[in-house]
Amino acid sequence: MSRLTATVGRQIQRLVYGTLTPAEIAGELSLTTEIDLAHLVMLVERDLLSPVDAAALIRRIEQLRAENFRALYGVPVPRGLYLAYEQQLSATLGPDTGGRLHTGRSRNDLKATVTALRLRAELRALLGELTRLLAVLLARARAHRDVVMPVHTHYQAALPITYGYYLTGVAVALGRDVTALRQAVDALDRCPMGAGAAAGSDLPIDPARTAQLLGFAAPARHALDTVASRDGALHALAAATGAALTISRLGTDLQLWSSAEFGFIGFPDRLVGGSSAMPQKRNAFLLEHVRAKAGTAIGAWTAAAAMTRSTPFTNSIEVGTEAVAAVRPGLDAVRDGAILVRALVSGARPVPDRMLARAEEGFVGATALANRLVRQDVPFRTAHQLVGGAVRRAVERGATRLSAEDLPAGLRDADVSLPALVAAQVSGGGPGDFDAVFAAAYDDLVAHRDWLARAERREAAARTRLAAATASIVGRTATEARAPQEEAR
């Protein structure tokens, strides 16, 4: 930058850096200044910066934070917000002090660290919403564990399950998505500070100390990889998109089942909308928003991946700025979808009589009946044909359920009620084994909650350490400044 004598015009500034609102300025600089404070502590501890200069910078930075960065409102940003902020420090403290902040680092590793901090916070917030959704799914599953309904294959009634068993299955699938998101957060646990522009630094900096003060587990392993890669953002969005896909499939089922043709579930008035022209309608329109959010997430990942594709493996605005910016709307969409569907799952009320009737009309116990013949040493294919014939005879005479006359001799005295058939389906994780299936899903929920709580405690502890370290520097310089005065008295 030092060799340049001119900057881009205002129109290009707006195109590249945007017209930043006070909230956007504060959002960007709150993370930047947190990194600055950790960096200053490390520089002092490594004798790369005097405590006096560090204390002056810390006091000014903390003042800016307390004022919500008001001094930067409306300031031209011909080279971006960060340099405008750094120039403000130099203008206030003088270049001999303000110019020392950037010792041993680059905008490249600084920006990568801002991205990592922001992503970790956003992902923890998303994980919080998803774990709350998991809790609602499991609570409703437990409440409706005995509500018999048909499960469909190829859109045809197929087998008997329960509504609670269905919701537990969705929770199991969503739990895997949460696990993938946790892994994405763990992958962001190396602090980029210290990587410099692309090849580290020849100054005796201590990246591990900076990482500790910012709540990371370790410093960067490879400087070039650190500034070249934003795959953490792509992996995080991919995992979040997986959750959005799971949620969209749940949304499809709930919308189908709430239709008059199915009538399996109902929603309270607060969760449906009317029609501007058809007064009789109750539209479960929120589910359409839920389903659409997955499309936004998919689009965001596709856009970010397309921007990353074929870029040079080094610091790149395409990757570090444009692709990362494309990720955020996708994460926001997944979070919003989780909030919406949580309200819908909580408010949905099954209609047990209708569910049971439709299961009976669909003869969904047929496979279980065939299996009972198998237990009597009848080959399965023969049993399949015998039960299929019984169903055909019932349908031909207009019946909606099998009678004793329809059944083969070996089944006429058996309990063929659907609740009994559901209870017998204990193998392979079936609905008859509900307690074990539910317990495993609940244990996963507890593990997710514990992980999230640990991550939040670790971040809080890091902020406490950072605050103590900066206060120590400021306090020490104040004490040293008072000492000569006291001796003179």
Side-chain angles (χ1 to χ4, degrees):
M1 295 274 183
S2 300
R3 67 179 289 181
L4 302 180
T5 59
T7 61
V8 298
R10 289 189 176 274
Q11 183 182 34
I12 293 178
Q13 287 180 39
R14 288 193 297 271
L15 289 174
V16 174
Y17 302 115
T19 302
L20 298 175
T21 66
E24 290 169 334
I25 291 172
E28 181 73 23
L29 291 183
S30 62
L31 293 175
T32 299
T33 52
E34 184 177 350
I35 298 166
D36 287 349
L37 294 173
H39 185 65
L40 288 169
V41 170
M42 182 275 294
L43 290 177
V44 171
E45 292 176 350
R46 300 296 291 173
D47 295 325
L48 292 168
L49 179 65
S50 75
V52 173
D53 285 333
L57 282 162
I58 290 168
R59 284 192 293 267
R60 180 55 183 158
I61 290 169
E62 289 181 340
Q63 181 183 10
L64 287 170
R65 288 164 69 93
E67 296 171 352
N68 212 30
F69 305 98
R70 190 177 305 278
L72 276 297
Y73 295 175
V75 172
V77 289
R79 294 182 294 175
L81 179 60
Y82 168 74
L83 286 176
Y85 151 73
E86 188 181 274
Q87 288 167 358
Q88 203 283 331
L89 291 177
S90 292
T92 304
L93 302 174
D96 193 52
T97 297
R100 297 182 188 276
L101 173 63
H102 210 52
T103 301
R105 72 181 191 188
S106 164
R107 271 208 300 180
N108 296 357
D109 57 349
L110 175 62
K111 191 166 187 176
T113 307
V114 168
T115 297
L117 287 173
R118 176 176 287 123
L119 265 177
R120 292 199 313 177
E122 291 173 345
L123 293 176
R124 282 198 301 270
L126 175 56
L127 281 164
E129 296 298 347
L130 291 173
T131 53
R132 283 186 278 276
L133 172 56
L134 281 172
V136 169
L137 284 166
L138 292 176
R140 304 312 296 166
R142 183 165 49 195
H144 301 302
R145 58 177 294 168
D146 296 322
V147 177
V148 176
M149 66 174 291
V151 66
H152 293 74
T153 62
H154 308 287
Y155 288 93
Q156 303 298 317
L159 295 162
I161 60 169
T162 69
Y163 184 54
Y165 177 76
Y166 168 84
L167 293 177
T168 304
V170 175
V172 170
L174 188 62
R176 288 193 298 275
D177 300 323
V178 170
T179 297
L181 265 174
R182 283 175 47 182
Q183 292 169 343
V185 176
D186 288 340
L188 293 167
D189 218 7
R190 286 188 173 273
C191 181
M193 289 301 293
S201 175
D202 57 348
L203 292 172
I205 58 175
D206 185 0
R209 175 59 168 158
T210 309
Q212 180 196 44
L213 291 169
L214 293 173
F216 290 90
R221 180 181 286 120
H222 189 284
L224 176 58
D225 171 59
T226 296
V227 299
S229 302
R230 295 296 187 275
D231 54 304
L234 280 172
H235 292 163
L237 182 54
T241 301
L245 294 175
T246 300
I247 289 169
S248 75
R249 299 177 74 184
L250 168 62
T252 293
D253 286 342
L254 292 179
Q255 189 159 36
L256 190 64
W257 294 343
S258 68
S259 66
E261 287 74 14
F262 273 80
F264 283 5
I265 60 173
F267 292 107
D269 287 351
R270 63 184 173 83
L271 294 177
V272 298
S275 166
S276 65
M278 295 163 282
Q280 84 284 4
K281 293 196 71 182
R282 300 179 82 257
N283 297 325
F285 74 101
L286 292 176
L287 287 164
E288 297 175 47
H289 286 286
V290 168
R291 292 160 59 186
K293 298 299 181 185
T296 300
I298 293 168
W301 188 90
T302 303
M307 294 176 200
T308 303
R309 175 187 176 274
S310 299
T311 54
F313 193 74
T314 185
N315 181 66
S316 167
I317 288 175
E318 293 164 90
V319 176
T321 300
E322 297 286 358
V324 168
V327 166
R328 188 164 299 116
L331 295 176
D332 289 345
V334 181
R335 180 202 61 214
D336 293 349
I339 293 171
L340 285 171
V341 84
R342 185 172 75 239
L344 290 157
V345 171
S346 180
R349 293 295 179 267
V351 184
D353 291 345
R354 176 59 182 154
M355 287 179 161
L356 180 60
R358 185 65 193 93
E360 290 175 337
E361 292 164 6
F363 301 98
V364 295
T367 300
L369 296 178
N371 287 337
R372 291 195 177 187
L373 290 175
V374 169
R375 291 178 181 174
Q376 299 172 22
D377 201 31
V378 177
F380 175 76
R381 193 53 62 195
T382 302
H384 186 282
Q385 293 172 350
L386 289 171
V387 175
V391 171
R392 183 178 65 253
R393 289 190 293 275
V395 170
E396 287 172 349
R397 71 168 194 276
T400 58
R401 65 187 64 185
L402 295 172
S403 66
E405 308 88 69
D406 299 315
L407 294 171
L411 298 176
R412 288 174 185 170
D413 296 327
D415 182 0
V416 295
S417 67
L418 290 182
L421 297 181
V422 168
Q425 294 173 184
V426 296
S427 299
D433 195 26
F434 180 87
D435 287 340
V437 172
F438 181 89
Y442 185 79
D443 287 345
D444 287 345
L445 170 62
V446 172
H448 296 321
R449 283 176 166 172
D450 289 346
W451 180 93
L452 191 56
R454 287 195 302 272
E456 291 171 349
R457 286 196 300 269
R458 192 178 73 174
E459 179 177 327
R463 287 185 172 172
T464 299
R465 283 194 300 270
L466 179 57
T470 55
S472 175
I473 292 172
V474 172
R476 183 175 62 182
T477 56
T479 300
E480 292 171 353
R482 285 195 301 269
Q485 299 174 359
E486 292 173 355
E487 289 178 3
R489 286 198 296 269

